[in-house]
Amino acid sequence: MPRFRHILDTMAAYKPGKAVATSDGRSYKLSSNESPYDPLPSVVGAIAEAARQVNRYPDPGAIKLTEAIAERFGVPVEHIALGAGSVTVAQQLFETVGEPGVEVVYAWRSFEAYPLLADLAGVTSVRVPLAGEDHDLDAMAEAITDRTRMVFVCNPNNPTGTAIRRAALEAFLDRVPEHVLVVLDEAYREYVRDEDVPDGLTLYRDRPNVCVLRTFSKAYGLAGLRVGFVVGPEPVATAVRKTIIPFAVNHIAQAAAIASLKAEDELLERVERVVKERTRVHESLLAQGWTVPHSEANFVWLRLGERTLDFAAACAAEGVAVRPFEGEGARVSIGDPEANDAFLAVAKKYPHR
């Protein structure tokens, strides 16, 4: 047998959200935090036009897309690095710091790809337990040692949906040594409605060790095309660009992302519909007697403990796919009203008081 890295014997592969269906064909996929809406016609048109050119390699530097992002968010092009989805950009960030003995700090539970990416990069994960459903920023600051190279802060947090407010986040950033890179993972930023939750792009400019991770997969509805980016000080962006696989962001993905930025007003109307549905789902669950943390993302979190897999099975029996984390809880994406009603019907019947 060929010899492989020992870490592969101990690490679990990433488990994406699954779809389920009943015998009569009912299927509501609320397990992957996807947009419930089809791409806008203008985006579909851009995709169709770009498809005529797939015999050619894409622009390796994604120059037009980088310029469009820079213009939209008011940042220098030199501060942007792209990748095939924010999870791949996160992998690139791990690779920029990954060396034997290096530690990376993050909350747990948080985005489940963090441990996988850390293992693949050969770094040591330092998982800091949540305080209830929230980041324990004091404990995270205390977990930083002279071996720490990077800290991930998922804001809003996946899977709990909770968000860190400005004063707490700024106080934490003040405690992080300047040589430690802080990554603000803001995959769900567009769904935030609490005005006291800061936009990371307003924080990084005065902090040379802070960068911001964003994606086109959620609010922009391009999960199937894989486009993500990081915004950070020029040395950070330059380092991340060195780790990208050539042509990682394909031609169609670049065209679709540019078209999505142009159609942002329409897209954000759809985001607002999701936010209203989030409020409706949250209030309905509270009325049913559930304890549900306030979410600033496009999903809600149910702390179910040992009943998690049983609840997921009850949902699946009605054609509703949720994302269970065994022994902890279930994350339920916000879908269209029909899908949300199907989930709420299961939640109402499930013993929870």
Side-chain angles (χ1 to χ4, degrees):
M1 287 288 291
R3 293 183 178 180
F4 301 108
R5 295 173 62 191
H6 293 300
I7 192 67
L8 299 181
D9 296 328
T10 61
M11 61 186 290
Y14 177 79
K15 296 179 181 179
K18 297 180 179 179
V20 298
T22 61
S23 58
D24 60 0
R26 283 177 292 133
S27 181
Y28 306 101
K29 190 183 178 192
L30 303 180
S31 56
S32 296
N33 297 344
E34 300 155 327
S35 170
Y37 301 108
D38 295 338
L40 291 170
S42 60
V43 177
V44 173
I47 290 172
E49 180 62 29
R52 298 175 182 272
Q53 302 164 350
V54 296
N55 58 308
R56 304 295 185 184
Y57 285 110
D59 173 8
I63 293 173
K64 290 183 179 179
L65 175 55
T66 301
E67 291 174 345
I69 293 170
E71 180 178 359
R72 163 62 184 86
F73 294 104
V75 299
V77 293
E78 296 82 10
H79 288 196
I80 299 169
L82 285 91
S86 63
V87 67
T88 302
V89 181
Q91 181 180 21
Q92 294 168 232
L93 283 159
F94 273 95
E95 291 174 353
T96 65
V97 302
E99 291 177 338
V102 165
E103 294 179 348
V104 175
V105 175
Y106 52 85
W108 196 252
R109 176 169 293 275
S110 192
F111 182 34
E112 65 182 300
Y114 295 157
L116 172 64
L117 299 178
D119 288 347
L120 289 174
V123 304
T124 300
S125 287
V126 178
R127 305 183 191 183
V128 179
L130 295 173
E133 316 298 348
D134 303 305
H135 279 67
D136 188 339
L137 294 178
D138 286 337
M140 289 179 67
E142 292 168 3
I144 296 173
T145 70
D146 58 0
R147 296 181 297 277
T148 306
R149 288 273 185 90
M150 187 164 66
V151 178
F152 264 80
V153 178
C154 192
N155 197 34
N157 187 46
N158 176 12
T160 62
T162 54
I164 305 167
R165 292 186 166 181
R166 180 176 295 276
L169 184 56
E170 290 184 339
F172 170 75
L173 294 176
D174 288 342
R175 295 180 63 183
V176 177
E178 290 185 358
H179 68 275
V180 175
L181 177 63
V182 180
V183 183
L184 302 179
D185 188 345
E186 296 186 343
Y188 302 95
R189 173 63 205 176
E190 292 83 2
Y191 300 100
V192 173
R193 291 299 176 271
D194 184 342
E195 294 182 357
D196 201 25
V197 176
D199 181 334
L201 296 179
T202 67
L203 298 176
Y204 95 94
R205 299 170 192 271
D206 298 323
R207 298 177 183 270
N209 65 328
V210 174
C211 65
V212 183
L213 195 57
R214 296 284 181 91
T215 182
F216 281 87
S217 294
K218 311 303 181 184
Y220 290 91
L222 299 182
L225 286 177
R226 317 306 303 129
V227 186
F229 61 97
V230 66
V231 178
E234 189 170 353
V236 176
T238 299
V240 174
R241 282 194 294 270
K242 290 180 180 179
T243 65
I244 190 171
I245 296 173
F247 309 112
V249 183
N250 70 66
H251 180 62
I252 292 177
Q254 292 183 36
I258 293 170
S260 294
L261 289 172
K262 291 179 180 178
E264 193 172 52
D265 289 344
E266 292 179 83
L267 285 168
L268 293 183
E269 287 178 10
R270 294 180 168 190
V271 170
E272 195 59 39
R273 286 183 230 164
V274 171
V275 170
K276 289 180 179 178
E277 278 295 290
R278 179 185 72 194
T279 300
R280 182 176 75 88
V281 169
H282 182 258
E283 291 177 350
S284 296
L285 289 169
L286 293 179
Q288 291 177 9
W290 289 91
T291 299
V292 188
H294 179 75
S295 174
E296 290 290 340
N298 67 336
F299 52 82
V300 294
W301 170 253
L302 299 179
R303 176 69 70 177
L304 290 151
E306 296 304 316
R307 299 181 299 156
T308 297
L309 296 185
D310 183 66
F311 177 78
C315 289
E318 299 300 324
V320 180
V322 300
R323 187 69 171 89
F325 297 90
E326 185 173 1
E328 299 180 64
R331 188 194 69 199
V332 186
S333 306
I334 301 299
D336 60 29
E338 180 182 350
N340 298 333
D341 286 342
F343 159 67
L344 288 170
V346 178
K348 185 175 183 179
K349 291 188 294 183
Y350 192 83
H352 57 276
R353 294 180 186 273

